[in-house]
Amino acid sequence: MSSTFSRLFLLAASVTPALAFCGAHTHLDRRAEGEAVPIAEFGYTGTVGPVLWTQLDPAANALCSTGANQSPINMVEGEFKLLPASEVQLTIPDVPEGATFENLGSTVEVVMKGKGGTFVLEGKTFTLEQMHFHHPSEHIDDGVSMPMEMHMVFTNEAEEIAVIGVYVDLVDVPAILQLHILPRRAPSTLLETIFSSIAEIASPGTETTTKPLVMSELVTLLKAGSFQRYTGSLTTPPCSENVAWSVATEKLRLSKATYQAVRDIVGFNSRYPQNKLGDQNLLALALGGASAEAPKTEAPAVEAPANATVARRGRW
C-alpha cells in the first residue's frame, strides 16, 4: 500500500506547471470588473484528484495530506455538537433580481455577495458570499451518502470562514401535483429555480443570471431543525483548517428529473471522507508515516471560531 501511494506522489510531481496553482477560483477571490469566470485547476479524479492535491502545490496545499482536522467527515455522535437553530441567527433576504450563476469547472456556484445574507454564530457575524453544490454529498450522514450537498459559504471582517452544509435528497413528483395537491414532501422551490438555468452554464467558465430567488423557503427550513457543529477544513485545496462547519439536520429535496440534469453537468465533485477529527491524516497513514495507533492530535473545540486563524480561501 505504501509503495503504491509513493509512486502516485512521484507521478504527480511531473504534472505540468499549469496545474500547479490551486487557488480558490470562487467569488471570494478578488476579480477585476468584467473578468471572466475562472476555471478550477484541481479536480476529483486522476492526477488532479484529492489523493494528489498536495502535489499540485506542495507549499500551499500541504494540509491536504497532513492536516489532522480535515473535512468532510462522517457525521456520527461524538464528532459534532448539536446546536439548536434557536442559538444562531440566519437572515437571507429574497433576491427578486436573481443572482449570478457560474460554472467553475469544479462546481456550480450562486454568487450571493452583496445580497444581505448574514449568519451569527457563537457571537460572530458572518456574511453570505456564495452557495455551491457537490455531487454526491461530501459529508456522510451517519454512514449514509446523500445525492448532493449544498455549501453556503460565509466570511467575516477577520476573513474567517463559516459554512452551512445542507444535504439534498431526491423526491418523486407525483401526478397529484397536476391537480394542485401538494405532497407532504415536495421539491425545494429554491433549488428547482436555481437549477432551471443549469443548461445555460453547461460549460466551465460560463455564467448566467437565475430567476428570482425566494430565500425565505430555505431560511424557514433550516430554522426548523438543528446544526451539527464542528471545526474542520476547506474540502478542496488548500484544505485550510479552522473552518466553522454547521451541517443542517433538515434536508432540501430535488426532483429526480432536475437532479439528473445537474448531475450530467456537475459530474462527480466530492472529496472522500476524512479521518476522525484529531486523528492522523489518512494520506499520511497510507504512506506509512506513522502507525495507525499513533497518538491523537487534539481536535479544536467547536468554539474555535472565536479565536480561529484566518483560513486560506479555496473551494470547500
Side-chain angles (χ1 to χ4, degrees):
M1 176 71 74
S2 176
S3 61
T4 299
F5 272 86
S6 296
R7 288 195 296 271
L8 285 172
F9 273 80
L10 288 173
L11 172 63
S14 65
V15 173
T16 173
L19 297 176
F21 174 71
C22 286
H25 295 313
T26 75
H27 206 76
L28 292 180
D29 288 331
R30 293 181 181 138
R31 299 187 198 170
E33 187 73 25
E35 181 181 350
V37 176
I39 300 174
E41 294 165 333
F42 65 90
Y44 292 90
T45 60
T47 56
V48 294
V51 171
L52 299 176
W53 280 347
T54 293
Q55 268 42 53
L56 297 177
D57 189 335
N61 300 343
L63 283 174
C64 297
S65 57
T66 63
N69 293 288
Q70 290 287 292
S71 300
I73 59 173
N74 185 18
M75 302 300 290
V76 296
E77 188 175 352
E79 290 292 276
F80 59 84
K81 178 180 74 173
L82 193 63
L83 189 67
S86 59
E87 295 187 16
V88 303
Q89 297 176 39
L90 178 64
T91 304
I92 310 176
D94 292 338
V95 187
E97 72 278 15
T100 300
F101 190 26
E102 305 175 330
N103 186 332
L104 304 176
S106 59
T107 188
V108 291
E109 173 181 288
V110 180
V111 179
M112 295 295 291
K113 186 177 181 66
K115 303 298 184 182
T118 60
F119 182 42
V120 181
L121 177 67
E122 296 162 1
K124 289 193 171 186
T125 300
F126 296 84
T127 300
L128 181 60
E129 300 284 348
Q130 46 99 337
M131 307 184 300
H132 65 267
F133 301 87
H134 292 276
H135 164 254
S137 68
E138 294 205 301
H139 288 93
I140 306 299
D141 186 15
D142 193 12
V144 177
S145 175
M146 292 289 130
M148 293 180 64
E149 184 174 346
M150 179 175 75
H151 290 168
M152 305 167 63
V153 182
F154 299 77
T155 63
N156 63 14
E157 292 183 354
E159 297 191 351
E160 296 166 331
I161 295 172
V163 185
I164 296 178
V166 187
Y167 295 119
V168 179
D169 208 348
L170 304 184
V171 63
D172 286 317
V173 180
I176 58 172
L177 278 180
Q178 299 174 7
L179 302 176
H180 306 289
I181 302 175
L182 291 176
R184 292 181 64 184
R185 292 184 174 181
S188 161
T189 299
L190 175 64
L191 290 189
E192 294 288 335
T193 299
I194 291 172
F195 291 137
S196 67
S197 304
I198 192 74
E200 299 172 25
I201 57 168
S203 300
T206 56
E207 67 177 37
T208 189
T209 301
T210 69
K211 296 174 183 177
L213 301 179
V214 181
M215 304 302 297
S216 54
E217 174 203 53
L218 174 62
V219 173
T220 299
L221 175 77
L222 297 181
K223 286 184 175 180
S226 300
F227 295 99
Q228 296 172 333
R229 171 76 180 87
Y230 80 97
T231 299
S233 75
L234 306 182
T235 66
T236 61
C239 307
S240 304
E241 297 188 339
N242 294 312
V243 173
W245 279 96
S246 301
V247 178
T249 58
E250 294 294 314
K251 299 177 178 64
L252 287 168
R253 289 176 170 81
L254 192 63
S255 69
K256 290 183 178 179
T258 301
Y259 164 75
Q260 290 169 354
V262 176
R263 176 200 63 191
D264 291 347
I265 289 176
V266 173
F268 176 83
N269 69 332
S270 294
R271 189 187 193 191
Y272 59 88
Q274 301 297 295
N275 209 353
K276 292 182 178 180
L277 298 173
D279 280 1
Q280 189 175 9
N281 191 287
L282 291 175
L283 290 179
L285 285 173
L287 285 169
S291 166
E293 300 300 321
K296 282 189 175 185
T297 299
E298 185 177 353
V302 293
E303 290 79 8
N307 54 18
T309 57
V310 175
R312 177 170 171 169
R313 292 173 171 179
R315 162 61 46 210
W316 40 84

